[in-house]
Amino acid sequence: MHVHRYERLWIWIGTITMMVFFAVLLVVSFGQGLAAPNHVQTIDPAKISSTPPFDHPGLRKLSDGTYEAYYVGQVFSWNPQSITVPVGSTVHFYVTASDVVHGFLLPGTDVNLEVMPGWVSTATQHFDTPGEYLIVCNQYCGAGHQNMFAKVEVK
Amino acid sequence: MNGRRLMLAHFYVAFAAFAVGTIFGLLQTLSRASAITLGGFFDYYKLLTAHGVLLAIVFTTFFIAGISTYAVYDSMPVKSRSTNVGWIAWWVMTIGTVMAAVTILAGNASVLYTFYAPLKASPTFYIGATLLIVGSWIVFFDFLLHAKAWRVTHRGERLPLPAFMATVNFLMWFLATLGVAVEMLYLIPWSLGWTQGVDVAMTRMYFWYFGHPLVYFWILGAYLAWYGMVPKMLKVPVFSDALTRVAFIGFLLLSLPVGIHHQFSDPGIAGQWKLLQTFLTLLVVVPSLMTAYALFATFEESAFAKGQRGFVNIVKSLPWNDASFTGIVLAMILFIFGGFGGIVNASYSIDRVVHNTMWVVGHFHITVGGPVALTFLAISYRLIPALTGRALWSENWAKAQVWLWFIGMSVMSLAMHIQGLLGAPRRVSDIAYYGSSEAAAWHPWALLTAGGGIVLMLSVVAFVVNIIGTLRNDERVGSETLFAETRANEAPPPMGLDRLKFWTVVAVALVIIAYAGPVMEHYQQHIYLAPGMRTW
Ligand code: HEM
Ligand SMILES: [Cu+2]
Ligand SMILES: [Cu+2]
């Protein structure tokens, strides 16, 4: 098959660009520990209210000084509605849903999860800047979806 | 050529879906900017479902069925072959569309075009969508029958390039829609109350196995015009028959094994499968850049033929008075930005900033809403006259229309991207969040989005007026083919490229490599079936 010299060059440029993307991806995933989101824990959605720690959603302080925050989403609210953590805290979020799919987004952070009944989604965020952070539901869940939000207070 | 009325029937359904769907789009932009409050019959999420289904599924599928039928019938002349199979396909697709659309507008399927379980729509929504898909399979079957009839008098010949492009696209579509058909086997019995619950994670995997090649189905529909018809407008041959086929086979293979890149934020799929499919996703860089090369080389060749050299002269020498050509070039420009955004979305490290924010909505409006839709509108100014024999009502209105679409889409999409970077969620009827200060920063950009939406609506009006004007125009035109010739002296492309059965096997093998791991892992988990509910 005849391929013009310039086009051959162009295809090489494309292939090399792709290789560079591959290399960056490998370095980021394995070298810098920024792996793709990996949460595969299950939970019975019918028994959330009797499954610890989701039977008492909310904030817990760990012995190393970081926090765990357990959330349950159901149409059209988050439980807990509001948490408060000191500036400089690291918070591990654990989120599940009891009815339909929801989304858990903290604008301005890296926390952005699909939340599905039957599964626990997780993310970790370090809060350096004081202020009030919004948590919005960013996956359509029904008529009151626009009212589904909560708050994180960082002081 | 047979089948003109059949092709027109596909285009009419596409245009009707387009006109209705875009009105809803404008209402959405206004609602999100807190300029109007939608309720009652005009419930936001009902309109959003209709907008997504009518534009992303109905408009595109019917248009691509129409233009692909044109490619197949026009490039493979067969004396007196019946169009019955094609018409059966059209009827099945149309009945399915009407069923789904009526269910949505009656408020019984406000589940958005992704219909994520366990949101539970009325059965007629799922059944209608299934019929639309089955109808599109009959379109593919019709192409195969047509090629068979053509081969009787063309033994051993390769498929002509336009027929090849259309057939490869429908082959990919067929393999992709098998996924959604299987998903329907879960959803239909469940929505009828015959099963108690649904496997949420699995239905999402099936949906996105289909959802990514869906976008390539749209794009290859537009590429049919870019590769096949643009050279004709410039009076030059197709840049390279062989490389066009290589690119199409590349898209066939690389569209199917990558759907999980839409599920980076999902629980239930381990990180390594997301990484694997990210690698597979990035491979598409190569056929994409080949496409860009072929198109720019075509522009250059036409300018050289007129004795023009140098960038500025080449640009000046192009036929900017031709609305179809101008529209398609503007579509290509939009697509460059779409490509940049796509690389961001495909990188799971940055995706977590933009996932399900307005950034994503900005992205698909500057890919399917921009390049694909604009190409379809622009090429309609050639297709409708060619099929009806009636001259275009107004070239000037057409030119204004494509520029308005370009400007409106650029503004709307840019403002959506910015909203997304500031954290504004998508699929929300009103983003005020009761006066939250964070949400207040989104408002100016929501207003600009609505501004873009208004410009787009003017463009829609110009399009509809022009099409109606054309259908009532008594001035006659000829119906020469819209496809360019391939280069007479080009060495024939390797026969292997045309062995579609072989490429199908390779495509399926890639799908198995990409999905065997996550699917097997899924079935090792405890699966809690969700009963589902109607939350609207
Ligand atoms: C007048 C032109 C258009 C306007 C004003 C418009 C406006 C919008 C807006 C504001 C949204 C997002 C709403 C939200 O997330 O809450 C949206 C979503 C969407 N639009 Fe458009 N749009 C237009 C044309 C198109 C075209 C031509 C297509 C495709 C061919 C398209 C496909 C979509 C899709 C697939 C969605 C996502 C629906 C969902 O999230 O379920 N739009 N549009
Ligand atoms: Cu929601
Ligand atoms: Cu994709």
Side-chain angles (χ1 to χ4, degrees):
Chain A
M1 186 165 61
H2 170 77
V3 181
H4 188 275
R5 196 155 49 89
Y6 287 161
E7 170 142 40
R8 210 175 279 268
L9 183 70
W10 179 248
I11 292 177
W12 271 112
I13 294 175
T15 310
I16 292 168
T17 311
M18 194 184 75
M19 303 290 219
V20 172
F21 286 159
F22 278 16
V24 170
L25 198 56
L26 285 172
V27 169
V28 167
S29 327
F30 296 106
Q32 304 185 328
L34 200 68
N38 183 23
H39 21 90
V40 289
Q41 192 194 328
T42 56
I43 180 171
D44 185 344
K47 299 205 182 97
I48 292 178
S49 54
S50 58
T51 311
F54 286 98
D55 54 346
H56 294 294
L59 196 66
R60 281 178 186 64
K61 188 164 184 174
L62 300 183
S63 53
D64 64 358
T66 63
Y67 291 86
E68 283 179 343
Y70 291 89
Y71 280 86
V72 177
Q74 59 193 3
V75 287
F76 298 101
S77 64
W78 291 111
N79 187 5
Q81 247 306 299
S82 170
I83 60 170
T84 307
V85 294
V87 179
S89 313
T90 298
V91 182
H92 309 286
F93 291 93
Y94 296 83
V95 193
T96 191
S98 63
D99 42 29
V100 294
V101 180
H102 298 277
F104 190 84
L105 167 71
L106 269 81
T109 73
D110 287 350
V111 182
N112 192 343
L113 301 166
E114 297 270 348
V115 183
M116 289 152 44
W119 302 86
V120 180
S121 300
T122 60
T124 296
Q125 180 68 31
H126 190 73
F127 291 95
D128 270 331
T129 325
E132 193 183 82
Y133 291 75
L134 204 54
I135 298 174
V136 299
C137 177
N138 66 340
Q139 184 53 274
Y140 168 71
C141 54
H145 166 56
Q146 68 284 354
N147 301 327
M148 184 163 171
F149 65 97
K151 283 182 176 162
V152 178
E153 190 92 47
V154 179
K155 343 192 207 219
Chain B
M1 182 183 57
N2 270 349
R4 287 199 169 81
R5 287 187 42 226
L6 170 63
M7 296 164 207
L8 284 168
H10 278 296
F11 293 134
Y12 295 154
V13 178
F15 296 158
F18 173 73
V20 177
T22 48
I23 295 172
F24 295 166
L26 177 61
L27 295 177
Q28 287 150 213
T29 63
L30 294 170
S31 170
R32 289 180 56 97
S34 307
I36 57 171
T37 309
L38 294 171
F41 178 81
F42 291 96
D43 170 65
Y44 185 87
Y45 300 109
K46 180 208 275 187
L47 298 193
L48 185 56
T49 307
H51 179 79
V53 170
L54 286 177
L55 289 168
I57 311 290
V58 178
F59 166 59
T60 51
T61 307
F62 275 88
F63 194 93
I64 295 168
I67 195 173
S68 302
T69 305
Y70 178 75
V72 169
Y73 287 18
D74 178 71
S75 69
M76 296 192 292
V78 176
K79 272 224 181 73
S80 67
R81 180 174 167 260
S82 144
T83 51
N84 286 351
V85 178
W87 277 108
I88 292 171
W90 183 87
W91 276 106
V92 174
M93 286 169 69
T94 303
I95 291 169
T97 300
V98 170
M99 257 174 100
V102 168
T103 313
I104 294 169
L105 292 178
N108 291 327
S110 297
V111 292
L112 307 192
Y113 85 106
T114 44
F115 49 87
Y116 287 142
L119 293 172
K120 198 186 220 169
S122 293
T124 45
F125 171 76
Y126 302 113
I127 295 169
T130 307
L131 287 177
L132 174 52
I133 285 164
V134 170
S136 72
W137 292 349
I138 304 175
V139 173
F140 179 44
F141 183 59
D142 182 51
F143 294 173
L144 299 180
L145 290 178
H146 194 93
K148 206 167 166 216
W150 177 79
R151 285 219 186 279
V152 172
T153 49
H154 296 78
R155 287 194 75 91
E157 278 180 45
R158 61 182 342 123
L159 287 181
L161 185 61
F164 179 87
M165 292 191 276
T167 307
V168 170
N169 196 15
F170 269 84
L171 171 59
M172 182 194 71
W173 175 250
F174 174 69
L175 295 174
T177 46
L178 284 174
V180 101
V182 173
E183 185 185 356
M184 291 302 183
L185 295 180
Y186 289 66
L187 297 181
I188 292 174
W190 168 69
S191 70
L192 285 166
W194 299 346
T195 55
Q196 291 313 308
V198 68
D199 180 344
V200 176
M202 210 52 216
T203 54
R204 290 167 72 92
M205 197 118 72
Y206 280 119
F207 183 85
W208 285 113
Y209 161 76
F210 151 80
H212 183 79
L214 167 68
V215 315
Y216 271 90
F217 178 63
W218 303 332
I219 292 167
L220 295 189
Y223 281 2
L224 186 60
W226 293 13
Y227 272 110
M229 296 177 174
V230 168
K232 175 86 171 184
M233 299 175 194
L234 296 172
K235 304 187 179 60
V236 292
V238 173
F239 174 68
S240 162
D241 183 346
L243 288 173
T244 308
R245 289 178 203 246
V246 172
F248 268 69
I249 295 294
F251 291 123
L252 165 71
L253 301 183
L254 298 178
S255 301
L256 296 162
V258 297
I260 285 180
H261 69 211
H262 293 261
Q263 299 182 275
F264 287 149
S265 302
D266 278 25
I269 301 173
Q272 78 255 29
W273 310 125
K274 294 173 179 168
L275 180 66
L276 169 67
Q277 294 211 2
T278 306
F279 279 120
L280 290 165
T281 300
L282 292 172
L283 291 170
V284 85
V285 168
V286 176
S288 304
L289 289 182
M290 282 173 63
T291 302
Y293 188 94
L295 299 169
F296 290 119
T298 301
F299 295 165
E300 192 185 63
E301 185 173 349
S302 91
F304 283 4
K306 293 183 214 148
Q308 300 292 342
R309 292 194 176 244
F311 181 75
V312 175
N313 290 334
I314 292 177
V315 172
K316 274 198 203 146
S317 77
L318 297 174
W320 298 107
N321 269 324
D322 176 339
S324 298
F325 176 80
T326 306
I328 289 181
V329 173
L330 296 176
M332 291 171 182
I333 295 172
L334 292 177
F335 201 44
I336 295 174
F337 295 100
F340 290 155
I343 296 171
V344 170
N345 304 342
S347 318
Y348 55 74
S349 49
I350 337 182
D351 176 68
R352 60 177 86 184
V353 178
V354 297
H355 178 74
N356 273 348
T357 67
M358 281 308 275
W359 166 282
V360 175
V361 183
H363 172 70
F364 58 67
H365 282 90
I366 209 159
T367 45
V368 63
V372 172
L374 184 49
T375 298
F376 291 175
L377 302 180
I379 202 66
S380 297
Y381 297 133
R382 277 218 171 30
L383 279 166
I384 301 303
L387 294 176
T388 56
R390 295 171 187 275
L392 183 64
W393 178 69
S394 166
E395 189 79 31
N396 281 336
W397 277 62
K399 264 187 293 184
Q401 186 271 317
V402 296
W403 277 104
L404 284 172
W405 192 268
F406 176 74
I407 295 166
M409 204 47 98
S410 304
V411 170
M412 182 171 92
S413 165
L414 179 73
M416 285 171 162
H417 277 90
I418 295 175
Q419 279 186 62
L421 291 179
L422 295 173
R426 69 182 280 204
R427 299 183 148 175
V428 176
S429 60
D430 188 324
I431 51 173
Y433 290 101
Y434 300 96
S436 144
S437 57
E438 228 170 327
W442 306 332
H443 185 65
W445 300 105
L447 282 174
L448 189 61
T449 303
I454 291 169
V455 177
L456 283 165
M457 209 60 232
L458 294 176
S459 179
V460 174
V461 172
F463 178 77
V464 172
V465 168
N466 212 347
I467 292 298
I468 294 175
T470 303
L471 295 178
R472 308 177 53 147
N473 199 349
D474 288 331
E475 195 188 322
R476 295 276 150 182
V477 286
S479 59
E480 206 194 329
T481 175
L482 300 181
F483 284 107
E485 298 280 321
T486 48
R487 216 174 281 279
N489 60 356
E490 183 181 334
M495 232 19 217
L497 286 173
D498 284 37
R499 291 175 52 199
L500 294 183
K501 286 197 191 106
F502 170 75
W503 293 116
T504 306
V505 172
V506 179
V508 172
L510 281 171
V511 169
I512 292 172
I513 291 172
Y515 277 99
V519 170
M520 274 173 2
E521 202 172 76
H522 174 78
Y523 284 111
Q524 282 158 12
Q525 302 272 357
H526 190 101
I527 299 158
Y528 295 98
L529 300 182
M533 59 200 285
R534 176 175 166 152
T535 55
W536 65 92

